[in-house]
């Protein structure tokens, strides 16, 4: 076993060395650090080129520069690591250390979301094995898993950051986009709910029409510029959550569970009104805690009220419903801070930052903007 571990570690070192060597040399060959200086009109252009050549040791071939860089990196074992300098003459190690917290947060959130969604969809697919839902989730899982990460990252930055910022200026959706998104949504819900072929067609058609009308209304009213759910939106979403969670958890045939979750939709709507001043106070975290405690107490009490036997599944269904409704109440409160946020001079209608890893000024604004 010890020899096996040593072999694996040795292979890891070789792979790390080979990949870093290739990346370093490819990067060095494909870029020209003094290209901008060659086009400069500065009177001391030649001296600037000479200084930069000496600083970056550009007079040496890239493979040799790699080993010089590697010697500095390996100095980490002696307590004096030297990763070199950036183009702005700042230590690379400081830039790496500054990016580590953001990277850890990103990886942690992505891992948590992947675990929650993966387990939830996996359990649901197992309960509905060989159904359209199972086939649909399997298809999307393999599709997303097979996409190159770097390519997806470029697409996400382009469409969910740059183009999304441009879209928010007018917040208008074109008819082709509405139709395309409605088709995808129809296929998604038809795969989830499943049933006979006739039921699937009816579900797809209903979702397509409803989603088209919904998106058209959002575009016409410019809701994305002034987003808010309000008590009516919370109630409608709450009813949808109640029916959906009941269907996935115990089935709609369990009337006691359905009554309990629908009660939570009503209670969530009522709690919307006293929650607003509490969430807008100077202690919003306390308000969030009180909101969820109240919803959980009511959800358990409602489940005990309607369920006489087999209370466990009904309590679970009611608690999940109450938590989801509470989350949408918080989302509504965040939506209320949207317009002042995008209209501020720092954001200027481009809320998704595309340069840098953080927005420093956000530490000085309200809790709901952060």
């Amino acid at each position: 076993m010890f020899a096996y571990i040593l072999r694996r570690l040795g292979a890891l070192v070789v792979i790390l060395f080979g990949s870093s060597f290739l990346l370093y040399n490819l990067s060095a060959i494909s870029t020209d650090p003094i290209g901008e200086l060659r086009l400069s009109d500065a009177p001391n252009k030649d001296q600037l080129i000479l200084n930069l050549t000496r600083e970056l040791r550009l007079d040496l071939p890239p493979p040799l520069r790699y080993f010089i860089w590697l010697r500095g990196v390996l100095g980490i074992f002696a307590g004096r690591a030297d990763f070199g300098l950036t183009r702005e003459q700042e230590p690379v190690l400081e830039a790496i250390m500054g990016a580590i917290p953001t990277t850890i947060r990103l990886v942690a959130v992505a891992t948590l979301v992947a675990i929650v969604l993966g387990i939830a969809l996996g359990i649901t697919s197992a309960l509905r094995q060989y159904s359209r839902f199972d086939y649909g989730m399997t298809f999307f899982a393999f599709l997303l898993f097979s996409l190159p990460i770097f390519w997806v990252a470029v697409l996400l930055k382009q469409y969910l950051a740059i183009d999304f910022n441009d879209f928010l200026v007018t917040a208008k959706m074109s008819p082709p986009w509405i139709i395309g998104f409605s088709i995808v949504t129809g296929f998604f819900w038809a795969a989830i709910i499943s049933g006979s072929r006739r039921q699937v067609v009816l579900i797809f058609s209903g979702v397509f029409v409803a989603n088209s009308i919904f998106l058209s209304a959002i575009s016409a009213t410019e809701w994305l510029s002034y987003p808010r759910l309000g008590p009516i939106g919370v109630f409608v979403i709450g009813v949808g959550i109640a029916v959906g969670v009941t269907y996935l958890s115990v089935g709609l045939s369990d009337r006691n569970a359905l009554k309990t979750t629908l009660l939570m939709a009503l209670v969530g709507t009522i709690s919307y009104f006293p929650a607003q001043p509490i969430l807008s106070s100077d202690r919003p975290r306390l308000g969030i805690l009180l909101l969820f405690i109240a919803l959980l107490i009511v959800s358990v009490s409602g489940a005990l009220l309607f369920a006489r036997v087999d209370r466990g599944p009904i309590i679970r269904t009611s608690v999940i419903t109450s938590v989801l409704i509470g989350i949408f109440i918080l989302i509504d409160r965040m939506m209320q801070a949207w317009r002042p946020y995008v209209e501020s001079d720092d954001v200027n209608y481009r809320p998704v930052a595309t340069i840098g890893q953080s927005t420093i000024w956000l530490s000085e604004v309200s809790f709901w903007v952060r």
Side-chain angles (χ1 to χ4, degrees), residues 29-267:
I29 294 172
S30 61
T31 58
D32 185 9
I34 60 177
E36 295 181 2
L37 290 178
R38 289 196 179 98
L39 302 176
S40 175
D41 296 330
N44 59 339
K45 180 178 69 173
D46 295 336
Q47 185 62 39
L48 293 175
I49 293 177
L50 180 61
N51 293 339
L52 186 59
T53 301
R54 289 176 178 175
E55 290 177 3
L56 301 181
R57 299 183 179 181
L58 299 178
D59 53 332
L60 299 176
L64 183 57
R65 296 207 306 267
Y66 168 79
F67 286 102
I68 296 175
W69 170 82
L70 183 62
R71 182 183 62 183
V73 172
L74 294 179
I76 193 173
F77 297 105
R80 52 176 186 275
D82 181 13
F83 285 74
L85 300 175
T86 65
R87 293 292 301 273
E88 291 76 21
Q89 300 302 308
E90 297 178 357
V92 173
L93 186 59
E94 292 184 5
I96 294 176
M97 297 302 295
I100 285 178
T102 303
T103 303
I104 292 177
R105 289 196 299 269
L106 179 62
V107 172
V109 172
T111 303
L112 180 62
V113 172
I115 291 174
V116 172
L117 290 180
I119 293 176
L121 293 176
I123 293 175
T124 307
S125 296
L127 294 175
R128 291 162 173 78
Q129 192 176 20
Y130 304 124
S131 64
R132 288 186 177 88
F133 176 83
D134 184 23
Y135 290 132
M137 290 300 102
T138 302
F139 170 76
F140 282 111
F142 277 105
L143 175 64
L144 297 177
F145 184 77
S146 61
L147 295 177
I149 296 177
F150 63 89
W151 181 69
V152 174
V154 173
L155 293 181
L156 291 178
K157 181 176 181 179
Q158 178 64 39
Y159 293 107
L160 296 186
I162 299 175
D163 288 353
F164 182 70
N165 286 334
D166 297 335
F167 164 75
L168 288 177
V169 176
T170 59
K172 294 287 187 179
M173 289 176 278
S174 62
W177 194 93
I178 293 176
I179 294 174
F181 188 79
S182 299
I183 292 175
V184 174
T185 306
F187 277 119
F188 176 79
W189 285 108
I192 287 182
I193 299 177
S194 188
S196 64
R197 182 173 299 179
R198 180 175 179 274
Q199 289 175 324
V200 171
V201 173
L202 290 176
I203 293 170
F204 172 81
S205 303
V207 172
F208 174 80
V209 173
N211 198 71
S212 299
I213 296 174
F214 176 71
L215 293 179
S216 299
I218 286 180
S219 179
T221 58
E222 298 184 359
W223 183 85
L224 292 176
S225 297
Y226 304 89
R228 188 167 183 177
L229 297 177
I232 297 178
V234 171
F235 177 73
V236 173
I237 293 174
V239 172
I241 290 174
V243 175
V245 171
T246 304
Y247 173 79
L248 294 175
S249 179
V250 295
L252 296 179
S253 59
D254 193 331
R255 296 301 178 184
N256 291 329
L258 184 59
K259 291 178 183 178
T260 305
T261 54
L262 290 176
L263 173 64
M264 286 311 306
L266 179 61
V267 171

